[in-house]
Amino acid sequence: MPGLPLLIDTDTGSDDAVALLLAVAGSTMPTTGDNDVRTTGDYGVRMTRREVGDDVVAVPSGGVRGGGGVPAIGGSERLGDGPVGGRPVGGGPVGGRPVSDRPVSDRPVSDQPVSARPSCGGGEVLAVTTVAGNVPLATATRNALITLEMAGQAGVPVYPGCDRPLTRPPSTAQHVHGLDGMGDVGLPEPARGPAEGHAVDVLLSLPRRHPGELTLVTLGPLTNLAAALLRDRELLTRFRHVYCMAGAADMRGNVSPTAEFNVWADPEAARVVLRAATPDRVTWIGWDVSRKYAVMTPDDQRHLEGLGTPLAAFAHRVNRAVADWARDVTGLAGYDLPDPVAMAVALRPELVLGSEQAHVDVAVGDETRGQLVIDRRRAAPPPNLTLVRRVDEHGFKQLLFDALTAATPVPARTTATPTKTRTIATPADARSTATPADARSTATPPDARSTTHI
């Protein structure tokens, strides 16, 4: 069965790399129907709810079990009856299983999946576009090329895009992901260079050639998509659906007290996207989802390392810097994977256990920069966005582990000379050259291939 046609926009840091692996490696997994997947084995970690600050999170309770059923994530230690998260495989009714003792919001949260569309066994990635964010543009592009080669998908073209936000100087998250964005583990050079062309042009042209067929997944700041929307206000309607790893619907941030990095890095771009969005077309999966349902606990990390495949080893190594940062800064019981959980939702919407439609804006002022402004009043404007609020944690992790186990990557070559690319002009609305005071690192790794000044 063909995979879901995907266009992925990324600022490739270490968790973006895992999301790319999930998208391309998942396409090799055998499927048993439109909505289900034949898993290769249960990772077998029993989960218990624990209080972490104001959150209720699922953490291992110790011991590995075998046999049927899986943990009822977010409930008691009683095992569920179905093969994925205590519910039947195939996107059927969720069954009202509680995830937290606290309500998610004042507005009722739907217990239905975000989309009734059937999902498939994996993705067919037609193109990857890159944007400055976690790392400078040249480094993000290099990392995307390396990751695709690791997954045996070197034929997927990678198009560089905007090297800075629409109106602001660039900021990075290299203090989180490492100077190279991949944990500074000394990855070999990619065997090829990026494709000729600008990411914004690809975002505009590809859905016109495949109207209503492509699913767009954005994993970084929304600069490329916003620049494309400024040229085509109807762009979002040309995609099958748009999923964005963006924001924090509970206003608990990872780069400021209330903001998530991707929106904070370019809030003006996020506002452009929100003003063009409709809830039937655009879904955001925020850091609140990752913080609660996509944390790689120490047991999960040991399991990942023990899978014994090249892709699993790669995913484990490149996230070691993130693990250190998460331990010291976020206080989570492990490091979280925001981009992979967003990719998992795009591949399998039935993983969503709770969502809401709301009217969402974003703050652009200095004090609350990047904070989502969610209007849940009865008199609120019509919803413009679907916000994912709860995800099947076990189903997500099982999908990830299976993808990293099932795929057989092609070893990356290290001696080929990369293809040279022509210089592409940066959009007129993204010309700032100032260096921000809050940027943690201004050095460009010596192995970055682009000559663009960042």
Side-chain angles (χ1 to χ4, degrees), residues 20-301:
L20 286 178
L21 293 180
L22 180 58
V24 297
S27 63
T28 67
M29 296 168 60
T31 59
T32 58
D34 286 343
N35 289 323
D36 55 353
V37 60
R38 190 184 309 281
T39 60
T40 59
D42 192 340
Y43 67 91
V45 179
R46 185 182 294 238
M47 311 296 285
T48 304
R49 286 191 307 176
R50 296 270 179 86
E51 297 284 342
V52 178
D54 292 330
D55 292 329
V56 177
V57 298
V59 297
S61 58
V64 176
R65 53 138 186 95
V70 297
I73 304 297
S76 67
E77 291 192 28
R78 179 181 62 82
L79 299 184
D81 297 325
V84 177
R87 63 188 176 91
V89 174
V94 171
R97 179 162 50 83
V99 180
S100 170
D101 293 330
R102 300 178 179 85
V104 174
S105 69
D106 293 332
R107 176 172 292 187
V109 177
S110 169
D111 279 331
Q112 298 302 316
V114 168
S115 171
R117 295 186 303 273
S119 64
C120 57
E124 179 189 358
V125 181
L126 301 188
V128 171
T129 56
T130 58
V131 66
N134 280 328
V135 290
L137 177 66
T139 310
T141 304
R142 171 183 181 268
N143 292 345
L145 291 165
I146 290 171
T147 303
L148 291 169
E149 287 183 9
M150 278 294 304
Q153 299 290 332
V156 175
V158 177
Y159 299 91
C162 298
D163 68 347
R164 64 200 63 226
L166 292 181
T167 63
R168 297 174 184 263
S171 302
T172 74
Q174 288 166 294
H175 61 291
V176 177
H177 298 274
L179 185 63
D180 71 351
M182 303 285 268
D184 295 325
V185 297
L187 295 174
E189 288 298 301
R192 59 178 178 132
E196 291 192 0
H198 195 281
V200 173
D201 294 324
V202 174
L203 286 168
L204 289 165
S205 63
L206 206 56
R208 286 184 177 274
R209 294 203 299 269
H210 306 275
E213 298 178 14
L214 297 179
T215 293
L216 172 64
V217 183
T218 71
L219 305 175
L222 292 164
T223 314
N224 285 341
L225 182 56
L229 279 166
L230 293 175
R231 292 167 56 183
D232 180 2
R233 292 292 296 177
E234 301 301 316
L235 176 61
L236 299 181
T237 68
R238 308 188 196 286
F239 289 101
R240 184 183 186 185
H241 203 80
V242 178
Y243 294 92
C244 303
M245 193 282 118
D250 62 357
M251 285 66 161
R252 291 189 58 178
N254 58 7
V255 68
S256 78
T258 60
E260 175 273 329
F261 175 81
N262 286 345
V263 174
W264 178 90
D266 197 346
E268 286 79 15
R271 177 170 280 182
V272 169
V273 173
L274 287 169
R275 292 183 175 178
T278 56
D280 60 319
R281 294 280 184 179
V282 182
T283 297
W284 281 19
I285 306 96
W287 190 64
D288 53 310
V289 172
S290 179
R291 193 183 73 242
K292 297 175 183 177
Y293 309 113
V295 174
M296 295 291 286
T297 67
D299 278 1
D300 292 328
Q301 295 174 46

Side-chain angles (χ1 to χ4, degrees), residues 321-332 334:
V322 178
D324 294 340
W325 178 83
R327 180 193 63 234
D328 297 337
V329 177
T330 65
L332 297 175

Side-chain angles (χ1 to χ4, degrees), residues 416-439:
T417 302
T419 305
K420 293 184 178 180
T421 60
R422 55 190 176 89
T423 302
I424 304 298
T426 301
D429 53 4
R431 293 179 178 171
S432 172
T433 58
T435 301
D438 56 359

Side-chain angles (χ1 to χ4, degrees), residues 14-19 22 177 245 285-287 289-297 300-301 304 315 318-319 322 332 334-344 396-397 400-401 404:
S14 55
D15 63 319
D16 303 67
V18 178
L22 180 58
H177 298 274
M245 193 282 118
I285 306 96
W287 190 64
V289 172
S290 179
R291 193 183 73 242
K292 297 175 183 177
Y293 309 113
V295 174
M296 295 291 286
T297 67
D300 292 328
Q301 295 174 46
L304 176 64
V318 299
N319 278 290
V322 178
L332 297 175
Y335 66 86
D336 65 305
L337 292 175
D339 294 316
V341 76
M343 183 65 69
F396 158 64
K397 291 179 179 178
L400 176 64
F401 291 146
L404 296 178

